[in-house]
Amino acid sequence: MSMLTPPGMGGQYRITGDKYPRMRPPRRRGRLVGVVVACGAVLGVAGWGTLQLIDVFTGGGGTASAAGAKAGCLTKASATATAPSPAVLPKPAQITVNVFNATTRSGLAKTTADELRKRGFRIGEVGNAGPQYDKKVTGTGVLLGPASSLNTSLPVLATQLTTAERRTDAAHKGATIDLIIGNGFKTLTSPPESARALTALTAPKPTATTKKEC
């Protein structure tokens, strides 16, 4: 027995040379650790793949939801926007009206002219209508003026006889407006209704705008 051999040890652990034998731990534990690590890796890959499939079939995660929210924004029209300035229209005192009677009833031109004067209009000629309109106006009346009066004095005078027909004539001389009384005429529009019509004519009208709501 060598001097390197501890007391009480012999057999396969007997040291006969001048080197110690190598003491290796059992290899079973190392294999078990490797198997556990491999299983964990497989489970991790499988879980990641499952999440990817879920994202595909459900339309993705938060990014897709955000995109969907933007795509679902609704455009709505609003009529409460700031309105443009009202049109600059002449006042009744700035409008001269010729009143002509195209009916068989006498006195209509004068009484109508007097009422228009009370409402602030200036009165020009008063009398019977010419051959072009005499006994040929079936409605309540015709408002006749130059082309420049279409969006100025004609609408203002029309508030006093809202059922009258409006016409323009390029050959019409001056800035006066003709009120030709027709067979359907009974009386001018009542003062309260005429005032409301004039207010609506000069009041600003709102313009529609669009806005997005998500």
Side-chain angles (χ1 to χ4, degrees):
M1 180 181 298
S2 173
M3 296 180 64
L4 298 176
T5 301
M9 293 185 63
Q12 61 177 338
Y13 295 103
R14 181 180 179 183
I15 300 175
T16 57
D18 55 356
K19 296 182 180 179
Y20 291 98
R22 297 182 179 180
M23 306 293 288
R24 296 183 179 179
R27 297 184 179 180
R28 293 182 180 178
R29 182 176 299 178
R31 292 178 181 178
L32 181 59
V33 172
V35 171
V36 172
V37 172
C39 291
V42 171
L43 292 176
V45 172
W48 180 83
T50 302
L51 291 177
Q52 294 299 314
L53 289 176
I54 292 175
D55 287 344
V56 170
F57 288 105
T58 58
T63 303
S65 299
K70 292 181 180 179
C73 293
L74 299 177
T75 301
K76 293 185 178 181
S78 174
T80 59
T82 303
S85 300
V88 179
L89 298 174
K91 297 180 179 180
Q94 299 173 313
I95 301 175
T96 300
V97 183
N98 299 324
V99 184
F100 300 114
N101 185 7
T103 74
T104 57
R105 292 174 287 171
S106 61
L108 281 182
K110 184 179 184 306
T111 56
T112 302
D114 291 342
E115 181 63 24
L116 286 175
R117 185 181 288 108
K118 292 178 182 178
R119 298 186 183 190
F121 289 88
R122 299 173 61 181
I123 302 300
E125 298 182 36
V126 178
N128 293 325
Q132 182 179 358
Y133 294 100
D134 189 27
K135 301 179 183 65
K136 297 178 181 178
V137 180
T138 59
T140 57
V142 173
L143 306 181
L144 181 64
S148 59
S149 67
L150 181 60
N151 297 315
T152 54
S153 54
L154 268 183
V156 175
L157 181 58
T159 61
Q160 309 304 309
L161 186 58
T162 57
T163 56
E165 179 185 354
R166 306 179 199 180
R167 298 182 186 177
T168 59
D169 185 1
H172 195 284
K173 296 181 180 180
T176 60
I177 303 298
D178 295 343
L179 169 55
I180 305 172
I181 301 173
N183 293 326
F185 178 85
K186 293 182 178 179
T187 183
L188 292 173
T189 303
S190 65
E193 187 176 348
S194 297
R196 287 193 296 268
L198 186 60
T199 300
L201 183 65
T202 58
K205 297 177 178 60
T207 54
T209 57
T210 57
K211 63 180 180 178
K212 288 186 176 182
E213 293 183 358
C214 298

